[in-house]
């Protein structure tokens, strides 16, 4: 009896519980980080055309297998959480000039203009007209990073600051940006067309900006003049339609 009291079974049971808890945590980590998910090339859905073949030939990265960063790279949720909380470690700060445009109703629209830092690969004058996401502007990190990369590849960039988004720019009319208003974006594009009559345009919209630029291009045939292409990034849509 005394020997049995001296060697209780509780520690062994407790160690088993700890081992099970550790195993459960590891299982959750593996599932949440999608560590067992195989890598594969992206699935491309497109109509066979001369433009599609040209894009695939010009951008071979579209058909290559994506190899994400180790440990956390396979989980988009983890990447989004880390970026949203920490941001980029070293975000670039491109230098641009802020332009002010007075709208017919008295609103003051602003956009930032960034000149290219190198010659474009085809030797042409190409300007990216960029519409950021909801309540965003040219000072956001993802916009600065995108503009810096575009400048280094020979693109001029014009970035719209959504009406009411910049904290140091006062509203001069009783309204701010909306989901469907293309007035400020259209004013910026018209300024670029008049100031740089030889430039070609690449229209870029992020999230809410994707909705705005697509609406702008569809409002009038004239809005599509000198537009090489439109790129909509993470545009919102209704899954019920």
């Amino acid at each position: 009896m005394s020997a049995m009291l001296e060697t209780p079974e509780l520690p062994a049971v407790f160690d088993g519980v700890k081992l099970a808890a550790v195993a459960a945590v590891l299982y959750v980590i593996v599932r949440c980080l999608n560590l067992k998910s195989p890598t594969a090339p992206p699935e491309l859905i497109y109509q066979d055309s001369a433009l599609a073949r040209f894009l695939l030939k010009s951008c071979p990265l579209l058909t290559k297998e994506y190899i994400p960063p180790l440990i956390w790279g396979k989980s988009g949720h983890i990447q989004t959480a880390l970026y949203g909380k920490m941001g980029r470690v070293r975000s670039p700060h491109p230098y641009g000039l802020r332009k002010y445009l007075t709208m017919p109703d008295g609103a003051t629209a602003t956009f930032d203009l960034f000149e290219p830092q190198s010659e474009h690969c085809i030797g042409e004058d190409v300007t990216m007209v960029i519409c950021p996401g909801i309540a965003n502007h040219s000072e956001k990190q993802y916009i600065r990073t995108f503009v810096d990369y575009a400048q280094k590849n020979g693109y001029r960039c014009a970035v719209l600051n959504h009406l009411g988004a910049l904290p140091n720019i006062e509203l001069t009319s009783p309204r701010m940006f909306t989901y469907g208003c293309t007035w400020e974006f259209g004013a910026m594009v018209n300024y670029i067309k008049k100031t740089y009559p030889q430039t070609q345009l690449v229209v870029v919209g992020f999230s809410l900006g994707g909705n705005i630029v697509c609406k702008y291009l569809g409002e009038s045939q004239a809005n599509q003049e000198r537009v090489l292409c439109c790129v909509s990034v993470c545009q919102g849509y209704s899954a019920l339609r």
Side-chain angles (χ1 to χ4, degrees):
M1 181 64 73
S2 61
M4 292 178 61
L5 292 176
E6 291 176 359
T7 58
E9 296 294 332
L10 183 59
V13 174
F14 185 67
D15 289 342
V17 172
K18 289 195 296 184
L19 182 61
V22 171
V25 171
L26 291 177
Y27 175 79
V28 171
I29 291 176
V30 170
R31 290 299 302 270
C32 290
L33 296 181
N34 297 327
L35 297 181
K36 298 291 290 183
S37 299
T39 58
E43 180 183 359
L44 302 179
I45 301 175
Y46 60 92
Q47 184 177 12
D48 187 26
S49 64
L51 176 60
R53 290 191 293 271
F54 171 77
L55 291 176
L56 290 175
K57 182 179 179 181
S58 303
C59 306
L61 187 64
L62 293 175
T63 58
K64 291 184 178 180
E65 181 181 1
Y66 171 63
I67 306 298
L70 295 176
I71 307 299
W72 56 270
K74 289 185 177 182
S75 173
H77 298 294
I78 298 297
Q79 295 187 54
T80 301
L82 288 175
Y83 184 85
K85 194 67 177 177
M86 301 174 57
R88 290 182 174 270
V89 178
R90 290 183 297 272
S91 181
H93 292 269
Y95 174 76
L97 296 176
R98 181 152 296 168
K99 303 293 184 179
Y100 297 81
L101 303 174
T102 302
M103 306 301 294
D105 65 343
T108 301
T110 67
F111 69 93
D112 286 19
L113 187 62
F114 304 87
E115 293 296 334
Q117 296 180 357
S118 62
E119 184 178 356
H120 195 274
C121 62
I122 61 174
E124 298 289 341
D125 187 311
V126 184
T127 302
M128 287 190 176
V129 283
I130 303 167
C131 190
I134 186 171
N136 287 177
H137 44 73
S138 62
E139 297 176 6
K140 291 293 183 178
Q141 289 185 345
Y142 76 96
I143 295 293
R144 297 205 312 259
T145 303
F146 180 82
V147 167
D148 179 74
Y149 185 79
Q151 283 183 292
K152 292 177 179 178
N153 284 273
Y155 292 92
R156 180 186 298 106
C157 294
V159 183
L160 179 69
N161 300 312
H162 284 302
L163 202 62
L166 284 171
N168 58 339
I169 301 296
E170 294 184 1
L171 293 174
T172 57
S173 70
R175 71 178 179 90
M176 58 181 293
F177 74 92
T178 66
Y179 281 90
C181 182
T182 61
W183 298 349
E184 290 79 48
F185 184 77
M188 179 182 75
V189 173
N190 290 336
Y191 177 93
I192 295 298
K193 287 182 176 180
K194 292 179 180 178
T195 307
Y196 305 96
Q198 302 301 321
T199 194
Q200 301 293 316
L201 303 179
V202 173
V203 180
V204 181
F206 292 90
S207 189
L208 164 70
N211 291 22
I212 291 177
V213 299
C214 289
K215 183 175 184 291
Y216 169 77
L217 292 176
E219 287 176 341
S220 171
Q221 187 71 30
N223 292 346
Q224 302 175 23
E225 293 178 358
R226 293 162 56 185
V227 173
L228 297 175
C229 67
C230 174
V231 182
S232 174
V233 184
C234 297
Q235 180 179 349
Y237 68 97
S238 172
L240 300 178
R241 298 184 180 179

